[in-house]
Amino acid sequence: MAIDKNEPSKLRWGELEEDDDLDFLLPPKEVIGPDENGIKKVIEYRFNDEGNKVKITTTTRVRKLAKARLSKRALERRNWDKFGDAVREDVGSRLTMVSTEEILLERPRAPEAKASGDGLAQLSKGGAVLMVCRTCGKKGDHWTSKCPYKDLAAPVESFVDKPAAAETSAAAPGAGKGAYVPPSMRANAERTTGSDMRRRNDENSVRVTNLSEDTREADLHELFRSFGAVTRVYVAMDQKTGTSRGFGFVNFVNREDAQRAINKLNGYGYDNLILRVEWATPRTN
Amino acid sequence: MRPILMKGHERPLTFLKYNRDGDLLFSCAKDHTPTVWFADNGERLGTYRGHNGAVWTCDVSRDSTRLITGSADQTVKLWNVQKGTQLYTFNFGSPARSVEFAIGDKLAVITTDPFMELTSAIHVKRIAGDPTEQTEESVLVIKGPQGRINRAVWGPLNRTIISAGEDAVIRIWDSETGKLLKESDKESGHKKTITSLTKAADGSHFLSGSLDKSAKLWDTRTLTLIKTYGTERPVNAVAMSPLLDHVVLGGGQDASAVTTTDHRAGKFEAKFYDKILQEEIGGVKGHFGPINALAFNPDGKSFSSGGEDGYVRLHHFDPDYFNIKI
């Protein structure tokens, strides 16, 4: 214990407790009062468990919720005793709390802007999935499977954009659906080098998520082939259970086909799940 | 703004009232115990124990010494505001739905529900300055409207009583003779139950809110319709700002819409409208259930809302509220 023996009147080390002794080594507590933004800083010094000096800075924002300019009677009422159930009020009972959220007086948007605004707001707030209905073309209102006009035959045609081409390209290889057809053997395959083909294909890769467990490559191929030539389909499988992990990739020959597939199938109801179809981000490997 | 949440009631709120000085807020709920809070920080001051049924309404005298409450237990009680003690009990044959002190606090108007053979009625009782001299006798009893009378208030200078209720008609009665003076026009008036009434600070006009999803502003002397404010939800409570030309409507939800609405909590809002232009200025969200009660502080700088969720939310306006322009 480092005691200053020159001042025996102040420090009689035998009488002082250890804590007091050590406290003498600490600088005093500082309070930097609320500045114009209401920020108040309290700087304290303490010894932590290992005996090291620790500086603790607490920054609080003092905010006045309201200016209470009370009349004389109101001030008297402020000092009234509590009665009824408030008599037994413990400090812990948080009956009165300031809201943690800042609530604003939300101005309404203009009517037509509001209608689309609501839809768009729903789109952005609805989480990951965009609600697109292809039947009536309305976004943000309902899914295609829930469309009130879904019994109209018209929408189905639009889905099958290139019927002739799709049929022939699938039929040509002769294998059953789901057989992998190398790009060079496709009906409308471009005669370029293999590596070019693959690179471009990977740029035309579309990721499909929210697939049901039973979805296989064949299903994806059948679903996407109407948009254009599909070079490769892949569905991620769980090796242990043999079910789909819920996502897969489809590679198109043409980028435009891939774009149309994304536009049309994103939000499409497939096997009781709403598909999410988007560009696949390029992988490093 | 940061609302102050006060959860003193376990059951839905029914009514909120500020005292004349604006420093106390009285809240009534279905849990039998009216509560008084400090209006600046929401701290609870006390509760008034004694009722045996849901408390539907209350009013406080101008000097903030007397509180009158009306309850479903068929009584109306007078309380000492400071101590929480009961001073007097008026007994009725049916639940009391609305009470209001007259200007001068010497009279009070009380409405009672239709119950069994009794029709709904409006009672005027004399309030004695000394509670020991209080008697049960009615100065006037008015019968006539069909259905429940949800609210009855005093007109200017206590000469008239304005009542509104389930039959969607607003009536003005003479407070001395009990004669019906005026009725609101059926064509332009409300189409469904009127749930709430609030008077302007100077008493020249008043606002009525109804389950027909609208609120209407009327002239007190002639009962002509001045303005109409429309919402998408049935209106349970209305309030007028004493400072600015704003009208606040608080509402609920149609029963049919309950199962199909968004599950997001905190969506019920108090809607602000410009009183003159009838346009919506904005909404204050936060309640987890329909808003049943609204009240403006007499200084116009804060307001509180009480909901079906049992919470009272006290809002002090930000400075930019006072600069809102359409």
Side-chain angles (χ1 to χ4, degrees):
Chain A
M1 283 188 286
I3 313 297
D4 189 356
K5 290 217 169 131
N6 291 334
E7 302 186 68
S9 53
K10 281 192 194 155
L11 294 176
R12 301 191 63 187
W13 62 269
E15 292 174 10
L16 281 175
E17 287 188 67
E18 199 153 349
D19 283 349
D20 285 350
D21 233 12
L22 291 173
D23 275 350
F24 248 85
L25 301 172
L26 292 173
K29 179 166 108 173
E30 274 174 63
V31 176
I32 302 168
D35 59 17
E36 69 267 5
N37 290 329
I39 313 273
K40 179 170 115 173
K41 279 204 185 120
V42 176
I43 304 177
E44 294 171 300
Y45 293 87
R46 217 178 286 165
F47 281 106
N48 68 359
D49 295 331
E50 292 145 24
N52 300 325
K53 222 194 290 187
V54 168
K55 174 179 174 184
I56 301 167
T57 311
T58 318
T59 312
T60 46
R61 186 155 152 217
V62 174
R63 180 173 157 169
K64 253 202 273 189
L65 276 181
K67 281 194 218 140
R69 270 179 277 130
L70 301 174
S71 64
K72 190 175 72 170
R73 292 274 167 81
L75 280 171
E76 286 168 27
R77 287 193 277 265
R78 245 329 186 146
N79 296 324
W80 279 356
D81 292 328
K82 302 267 166 99
F83 58 89
D85 294 332
V87 169
R88 285 178 269 102
E89 196 136 325
D90 11 304
V91 185
S93 75
R94 281 177 284 126
L95 269 184
T96 305
M97 294 179 288
V98 181
S99 166
T100 46
E101 292 171 31
E102 179 100 9
I103 305 273
L104 300 168
L105 184 67
E106 293 164 16
R107 310 295 300 267
R109 287 169 282 221
E112 358 61 55
K114 194 177 182 185
S116 58
D118 271 349
L120 287 174
Q122 254 181 332
L123 287 179
S124 55
K125 279 193 220 167
V129 204
L130 281 182
M131 277 207 279
V132 184
C133 169
R134 272 178 313 282
T135 319
C136 49
K138 271 206 282 189
K139 281 194 182 212
D141 197 34
H142 51 260
W143 297 112
T144 314
S145 48
K146 290 270 181 290
C147 181
Y149 308 110
K150 82 177 147 183
D151 43 12
L152 296 179
V156 184
E157 263 90 83
S158 61
F159 187 41
V160 189
D161 266 329
K162 299 200 300 189
E167 299 302 328
T168 48
S169 65
K177 57 179 177 182
Y180 174 63
V181 179
S184 46
M185 284 168 57
R186 297 290 165 92
N188 53 354
E190 283 172 288
R191 297 282 160 206
T192 53
T193 60
S195 56
D196 269 345
M197 184 68 59
R198 212 154 295 131
R199 250 209 327 270
R200 257 180 265 131
N201 262 320
D202 284 340
E203 284 166 33
N204 306 336
S205 180
V206 171
R207 174 175 52 230
V208 192
T209 27
N210 205 25
L211 295 172
S212 69
E213 278 179 357
D214 306 321
T215 310
R216 298 287 176 272
E217 273 91 357
D219 308 327
L220 278 193
H221 184 76
E222 194 189 38
L223 185 61
F224 282 80
R225 67 188 208 192
S226 46
F227 295 99
V230 173
T231 57
R232 182 172 192 258
V233 289
Y234 168 72
V235 174
M237 293 292 202
D238 182 357
Q239 300 303 336
K240 289 192 195 128
T241 67
T243 56
S244 154
R245 274 167 63 196
F247 67 94
F249 295 90
V250 178
N251 286 44
F252 284 93
V253 169
N254 297 318
R255 198 172 170 81
E256 308 85 69
D257 296 344
Q259 181 65 61
R260 274 188 302 112
I262 290 175
N263 296 343
K264 285 263 154 67
L265 287 179
N266 191 20
Y268 184 62
Y270 191 74
D271 198 14
N272 292 323
L273 290 176
I274 307 294
L275 294 183
R276 190 167 122 215
V277 184
E278 60 204 333
W279 290 112
T281 49
R283 291 191 310 218
T284 48
N285 58 350
Chain B
M1 49 193 161
R2 292 246 174 182
I4 302 173
L5 280 57
M6 290 121 81
K7 180 113 173 88
H9 293 284
E10 281 126 41
R11 302 280 315 282
L13 269 283
T14 53
F15 200 72
L16 284 172
K17 181 89 190 178
Y18 278 92
N19 68 342
R20 182 67 187 83
D21 295 332
D23 64 311
L24 296 176
L25 174 64
F26 294 86
S27 60
C28 309
K30 292 186 183 171
D31 67 356
H32 314 189
T33 335
T35 310
V36 62
W37 316 77
F38 286 113
D40 49 7
N41 64 355
E43 192 189 323
R44 187 167 71 165
L45 172 56
T47 62
Y48 300 90
R49 290 187 285 208
H51 273 299
N52 280 325
V55 182
W56 292 115
T57 180
C58 70
D59 194 12
V60 61
S61 62
R62 195 184 165 99
D63 55 5
S64 304
T65 55
R66 296 268 179 282
L67 177 72
I68 186 169
T69 55
S71 159
D73 65 358
Q74 305 179 359
T75 63
V76 165
K77 288 185 193 281
L78 272 177
W79 310 79
N80 176 322
V81 169
Q82 180 174 3
K83 296 281 185 306
T85 51
Q86 278 183 52
L87 297 172
Y88 194 77
T89 304
F90 294 96
N91 288 302
F92 294 93
S94 58
R97 187 63 57 167
S98 158
V99 293
E100 206 199 37
F101 276 119
I103 302 167
D105 302 330
K106 293 268 189 310
L107 296 167
V109 64
I110 299 163
T111 62
T112 50
D113 288 350
F115 186 66
M116 294 207 290
E117 296 92 29
L118 292 169
T119 53
S120 53
I122 303 172
H123 307 252
V124 176
K125 301 269 188 204
R126 200 175 295 283
I127 307 289
D130 186 352
T132 52
E133 289 164 24
Q134 186 68 53
T135 58
E136 180 89 33
E137 57 156 323
S138 295
V139 172
L140 182 64
V141 178
I142 303 172
K143 290 193 208 234
Q146 294 290 77
R148 218 158 68 182
I149 305 174
N150 278 325
R151 195 97 179 96
V153 296
W154 290 94
L157 294 179
N158 298 341
R159 287 214 198 104
T160 53
I161 294 173
I162 305 166
S163 75
E166 265 183 349
D167 56 3
V169 175
I170 301 177
R171 294 187 175 82
I172 300 192
W173 313 81
D174 183 302
S175 59
E176 286 180 24
T177 61
K179 207 166 65 118
L180 176 61
L181 297 174
K182 285 197 180 48
E183 266 187 13
S184 64
D185 182 34
K186 281 238 167 18
E187 293 296 312
S188 58
H190 284 293
K191 303 286 177 290
K192 283 200 195 162
T193 303
I194 300 176
T195 49
S196 47
L197 266 183
T198 184
K199 293 187 284 191
D202 64 353
S204 63
H205 50 283
F206 65 92
L207 183 65
S208 62
S210 160
L211 294 182
D212 67 358
K213 304 186 189 172
S214 75
K216 292 182 193 278
L217 193 69
W218 309 82
D219 178 292
T220 314
R221 276 179 313 158
T222 60
L223 203 51
T224 43
L225 178 61
I226 309 175
K227 299 279 178 193
T228 306
Y229 312 93
T231 65
E232 295 144 9
R233 285 163 184 238
V235 177
N236 287 343
V238 291
M240 272 200 274
S241 169
L243 195 60
L244 301 173
D245 282 331
H246 291 167
V247 147
V248 192
L249 308 184
Q253 193 173 37
D254 256 341
S256 54
V258 166
T259 51
T260 54
T261 37
D262 214 325
H263 197 49
R264 268 181 282 169
K267 268 209 73 177
F268 293 90
E269 53 177 353
K271 291 217 172 163
F272 280 72
Y273 289 75
D274 185 292
K275 186 153 73 177
I276 302 166
L277 302 172
Q278 293 178 160
E279 269 176 38
E280 189 182 329
I281 307 175
V284 175
K285 286 202 166 84
H287 273 285
F288 298 96
I291 295 177
N292 289 337
L294 280 173
F296 251 100
N297 191 311
D299 70 6
K301 300 195 182 143
S302 59
F303 83 101
S304 47
S305 54
E308 192 80 12
D309 49 12
Y311 275 90
V312 177
R313 292 173 76 93
L314 174 62
H315 308 82
H316 289 279
F317 290 115
D318 286 335
D320 43 332
Y321 163 76
F322 302 99
N323 303 330
I324 292 179
K325 299 223 183 316
I326 300 232

